[in-house]
């Protein structure tokens, strides 16, 4: 697993956020526009050439493999390639997870055309991504936990558009943390989730 330390201060972290965030947002917008455009064939070919040229520029200098998970000297995590929250990942919705003192974790996100499964509805695997990441973050609020089992009940289709997901720890059983949560639209719950998240073995195990 790729965990590395970045020797940068908060100011440099903010500078990089301000640099890469808008690029990712522009690529995300490009994905949406690619799905929904109705322009004529000549424009499609012209845009394709522009995108290919832009990609070649970015590929001029690249890291090997994925971004990994990096930490600053202050312990701040930089998971910028992550499929759920990655600042540099246009595939990520991206999720912004917040929590309160009572242990409730939630995220409010708008899922558009890029996340469609059945017509007008969110792809079931994307619902799983949202719930896995939210429940995993909730389970990892004290120490890191990996997804062992994730169980979802799709109560009804989840419409594309604004959504809210919530999670809380149900119980801890040694290295296992059981987390429950829901995904909802304005009319109520669409998906119920339960996850069993497993921590690393203690040194005596
Ligand atoms: C990306 C993460 C970065 C972390 C740092 C930063 C954190 C910041 C927040 C990030 C939030 C991320 C949220 C997304 C999280 C993922 O997406 S993680 C990716 C998907 N998950 C995986 O790839 C995990 C793959 N599986 C494994 O690595 C291993 O099977 C596991 C889950 C670590 C367990 O292995 P193990 O430690 O050898 O487990 P083992 O000793 O056999 O069993 C321990 C206990 O767990 C139970 N157990 C074992 N496997 C399972 C299972 N699959 N289901 C249920 N119970 C199980 C056993 O029955 C046993 O129970 P008890 O007998 O103690 O009652």
């Amino acid at each position: 697993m790729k965990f590395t330390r970045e020797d940068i201060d908060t100011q440099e972290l903010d500078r990089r956020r301000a640099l890469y965030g808008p690029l990712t947002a522009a690529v995300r917008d490009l994905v949406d526009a690619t799905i929904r455009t109705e322009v004529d064939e000549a424009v499609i070919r012209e845009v394709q050439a522009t995108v290919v040229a832009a990609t070649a520029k970015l590929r001029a200098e690249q890291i090997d493999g994925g971004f990994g998970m990096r930490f600053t000297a202050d312990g701040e995590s930089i998971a910028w390639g992550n499929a759920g929250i990655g600042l540099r990942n246009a595939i990520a919705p991206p999720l912004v997870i917040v929590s309160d003192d009572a242990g409730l974790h939630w995220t409010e996100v708008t899922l558009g055309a890029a996340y469609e499964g059945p017509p007008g509805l969110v792809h079931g695997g994307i619902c799983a991504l949202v719930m896995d990441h939210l429940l995993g973050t909730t389970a990892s609020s004290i120490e890191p936990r990996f997804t062992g089992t994730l169980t979802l009940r799709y109560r009804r289709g989840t419409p594309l558009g604004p959504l809210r997901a919530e999670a809380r720890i149900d119980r801890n059983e040694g290295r296992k943390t059981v987390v429950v949560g829901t995904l909802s639209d304005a009319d109520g719950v669409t998906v119920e989730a339960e996850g069993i998240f497993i921590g690393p073995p203690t040194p005596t195990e």
Side-chain angles (χ1 to χ4, degrees), residues 168-196:
R168 61 178 173 78
I169 293 177
D170 183 63
R171 58 191 186 277
N172 284 298
E173 297 168 356
R175 286 162 57 201
K176 292 185 294 188
T177 299
V178 179
V179 182
V180 292
T182 52
L183 180 64
S184 304
D185 69 357
D187 295 328
V189 173
T190 60
V191 180
E192 293 167 341
E194 181 182 278
I196 303 169

Side-chain angles (χ1 to χ4, degrees), residues 1 3 69 71 77 82 85 97 129 131-138 140-141 143-150 173-176 196-201 205:
M1 227 173 303
F3 292 100
M69 190 150 183
F71 291 90
S77 69
N82 185 280
I85 57 169
I97 296 172
L129 168 79
M131 298 317 287
D132 182 35
H133 200 94
L134 175 65
L135 270 59
T137 301
T138 306
S140 301
S141 50
E143 57 176 357
R145 295 274 190 265
F146 285 96
T147 314
T149 299
L150 181 67
E173 297 168 356
R175 286 162 57 201
K176 292 185 294 188
I196 303 169
F197 295 84
I198 321 283
E205 281 184 77

